[in-house]
Amino acid sequence: MSIIVSKFGGTSLANGRQFLRVKDIILSNEDRKYIVASAPGKSNSEDTKVTDLLYLSYDLAKHKITFIDTLEKVFDKYKDIIKNANLDLDLSEYFNQLKIDLESGKDRDFIASRGEYLNAYILANLIGYDFVDAKDLIFFDENGNFDEKKSYNAIENMKKNHKNAVIPGFYGSMPKGNIKTFSRGGGDLTGSIISRGVKTDLYENWTDISGFMSADPRIVKNPNKIEVITYKELRELSYAGASVLHEEAIIPVTVAGIPIEIKNTFKPEEKGTLIVEDTFEKGLSEITGVSGKKHFSVINIEKVQMNKDKSFHRKLMSVLEVNGIYLEHMPSSIDSLSLIVADKYLTGKIDTLETEIKTLVNPDKISIKSNIALITVVGRGMINSVGTSAKLFTALAAAGVNINMIVQGASELNIIVGVEEKDYEKAINSIYDSFMN
Ligand code: ASP
């Protein structure tokens, strides 16, 4: 018998009706043995996520402002879930404790983690699975880094002792026992870690869409769904801006070669997107998807014969390093080089940066251009097809989009173009039309 790990996101567990759907999904396949639950998300567009309400309660309590009304909203959510899922469960003891924890100044991560803790507890009761706290399975070292060895040992033991379990997502514990959360959306990462730990055959990630789209539906009308995508392609697309899974979530499963399937709780019968290590299908389209982000700057540096100075790049990098700036890309020509960085790292630092670059590498010219959008076109099919770039640039030219810079990764998996922010949507649509329609 195989093992499936199923992670249910916030919208999948936002109210009692959703809980009943999730119950049906889980119990319809007895391989679904380990379940990871998020905190209740939004039931509708007016609603607020429980995690946000908990952060707000924490902030209010910290500033000695009454948090009771906000916390009551959290309690009401859970009471509503329990009632509408027809459960006989009394959580008043947990609610009282949470109130005391807030009054006594318990830390922020602990307070936020209660969202998933309570939701997983309710779900375990509803489906008759064991409840296993993530604090006993996911560990961080004293620097706050994920402690692989300790965590995977604990998860293996959990598998021996529990034939099935519901585990809260999003958090784990520090060496001294206090709770630490991952970054927002981190339940995906918990699912991935549990998947690797129990050596699952499949990691299902249940959300509110039927998979990963080949372009952002807010920009392209009715984009195609991607049926199969490789880990590497997904990393590129997610990093470039497409968000379905937490950016780091595929790392643990990639190491173990476990496939992930993105599924829709609202339409469980629909095929989702399968994320795999490699595929060998024939007749692949050149591109799998396109995504992008705004708010980048290009720092352009010109110096004749810069390649004759062995320390040129190192000095330049040291300026970025001491100013805490992460480099995205560095396209270059013989006598010029561009540093592409996110705008957020430059705020308040442009003058210092210019001065330091001038002092260290003495360029002939330096200029900074902001409001750049980076668009990444990703496709494992590019490797074997001639003319992908030509098609891409023709499409952009036909749409009247000026390209500021081009980067192609050596793996031939992606091409990145920089365009002005005002052309961003137009560029994405023209690329999509040219490759996908
Ligand atoms: N509840 C957390 C958040 O809202 C984590 C998650 O949903 O995965 O970010």
Side-chain angles (χ1 to χ4, degrees), residues 258-277:
I258 297 165
I260 313 176
E261 190 169 12
I262 311 280
K263 293 280 287 173
N264 188 349
T265 309
F266 298 84
K267 293 178 185 160
E269 66 294 340
E270 254 179 32
K271 235 175 133 194
T273 297
L274 195 62
I275 308 161
V276 293
E277 184 156 13

Side-chain angles (χ1 to χ4, degrees), residues 186-206:
D188 290 338
L189 196 45
T190 309
S192 189
I193 293 168
I194 299 295
S195 294
R196 182 168 162 203
V198 301
K199 300 187 176 61
T200 188
D201 299 280
L202 175 69
Y203 169 27
E204 288 179 338
N205 192 290
W206 290 84

Side-chain angles (χ1 to χ4, degrees), residues 164-176:
N164 57 38
V166 181
I167 301 147
F170 192 39
Y171 69 92
S173 50
M174 294 289 287
K176 291 211 168 89

